Amino acid sequence: MTRIALVDDQAMVRQGLRMILEAEPGLTVVGEAADGLEAVELVPRAKPDVVLMDVRMPRLDGIEACRRIREAADGALPYVLMLTTFDLEDYVYAALRAGASGFLLKDAPAEQLVAAIEVVARGDALLAPQVTRLLIEEIARRPGPQPAAVPGIDKLTERELEVLRLMARGLSNAEIATELYLGEATVKTHVGRVLAKLGARDRVQAVVAAYESGVVEPGAAR
C-alpha cells in the first residue's frame, strides 16, 4: 500500500485528489496539509511514501517545503511530486534542486496522476520530456561549473557515465538496460553507484549534477 500526503491550499483540490487516489487499489491518503509549514509538520507524523505538493501556497511555498522535507528525510521516504497549474518554466529548476522527484500539472488525467505516483514511489524520477527540456534550457541559460566542480563526477567509470547520460534522457532502468544490452538488475546496481558517488538523494539530483558538470550538454537529451 502506497501512503500519500496531499498538500494544497485549496480544500476542493485536496478533496478531488483524495477521491481519485482512494478509488485506486494500493493507494491510500494518510494526511492533508493546507500549506508548506503544515506539510513539514505532517510528514513525520503521517509517514507518507509520496507527498503531492502544490507549488504556490501561503506561509511557505511548495519548493521550500520540499527542500525541508527531503533534507529531513536524508535520502529516505517520502518522495515529493510537485503539482501546479502554473507554467513549469518558472519553478521546475528550483523544485528539482530542492529534491522533488518530478512535476505534474493539476489538470493531468487521473490515470496519469496514478502512474506518476507509482513511478515516484519506486524511487524513480518523473522526468517527462517537457520537464527535461525545461530543465536543460534553464541550465543552458546559467553559467555552468566545470566537471571538477561537481564532487564525485570524476569518480564515475565509463559505464556509469553512460548510465548517467541515459538517466538524463529520462530513461527508466528497463529502458537503459535495453539501450546498453544489460540486465535490469545490473543497471540498478550502476544507478545506485552513480547516486552514491555523486552524493545524490535520487535520480533527479544526479541528472541535475550531470548537466551542471557538463557531462551532459544542453540539447543532448532532446
Side-chain angles (χ1 to χ4, degrees):
M1 184 69 71
T2 300
R3 299 164 58 84
I4 304 161
L6 305 176
V7 184
D8 194 291
D9 60 330
Q10 298 183 48
M12 289 185 63
V13 171
R14 298 197 306 273
Q15 182 180 7
L17 289 171
R18 179 183 282 272
M19 290 176 62
I20 292 170
L21 299 177
E22 293 197 330
E24 292 291 327
L27 301 181
T28 183
V29 176
V30 295
E32 298 184 16
D35 59 47
L37 284 179
E38 287 187 12
V40 173
E41 296 172 355
L42 170 69
V43 164
R45 298 196 311 268
K47 295 181 172 55
D49 302 307
V50 176
V51 178
L52 295 185
M53 179 85 73
D54 189 20
V55 171
R56 297 182 65 175
M57 295 180 292
R59 295 209 300 168
L60 188 71
D61 65 47
I63 293 173
E64 177 60 19
C66 173
R67 186 188 66 77
R68 295 185 190 184
I69 288 169
R70 293 300 296 146
E71 282 188 353
D74 193 24
L77 295 173
Y79 298 115
V80 179
L81 178 59
M82 306 298 296
L83 294 174
T84 182
T85 56
F86 300 92
D87 184 1
L88 291 175
E89 189 171 359
D90 293 337
Y91 307 105
V92 62
Y93 185 79
L96 296 178
R97 289 287 292 165
S101 290
F103 249 98
L104 197 66
L105 292 174
K106 285 184 180 178
D107 59 2
E111 60 271 19
Q112 188 175 341
L113 172 63
V114 172
I117 290 171
E118 291 172 348
V119 168
V120 171
R122 291 197 302 265
D124 289 335
L126 186 68
L127 288 176
Q130 68 179 130
V131 175
T132 303
R133 183 172 63 254
L134 289 170
L135 173 62
I136 64 179
E137 287 175 355
E138 174 64 21
I139 292 173
R141 289 195 292 266
R142 297 166 178 246
Q146 295 302 309
V150 177
I153 284 287
D154 57 346
K155 297 179 181 178
L156 298 180
T157 66
E158 285 302 315
R159 178 61 85 187
E160 288 163 357
L161 286 169
E162 283 184 294
V163 169
L164 179 57
R165 291 186 181 104
L166 294 175
M167 289 166 62
R169 285 169 47 190
L171 271 62
S172 67
N173 286 357
E175 292 167 334
I176 293 173
T178 300
E179 187 86 10
L180 297 180
Y181 302 100
L182 298 172
E184 192 170 346
T186 300
V187 171
K188 184 175 181 180
T189 298
H190 285 311
V191 170
R193 289 173 179 166
V194 168
L195 298 183
K197 290 181 180 180
L198 296 181
R201 288 192 296 263
D202 52 35
R203 295 168 76 102
V204 172
Q205 284 202 335
V207 170
V208 170
Y211 282 111
E212 290 187 332
S213 68
V215 165
V216 178
E217 296 180 358
R222 292 175 189 272

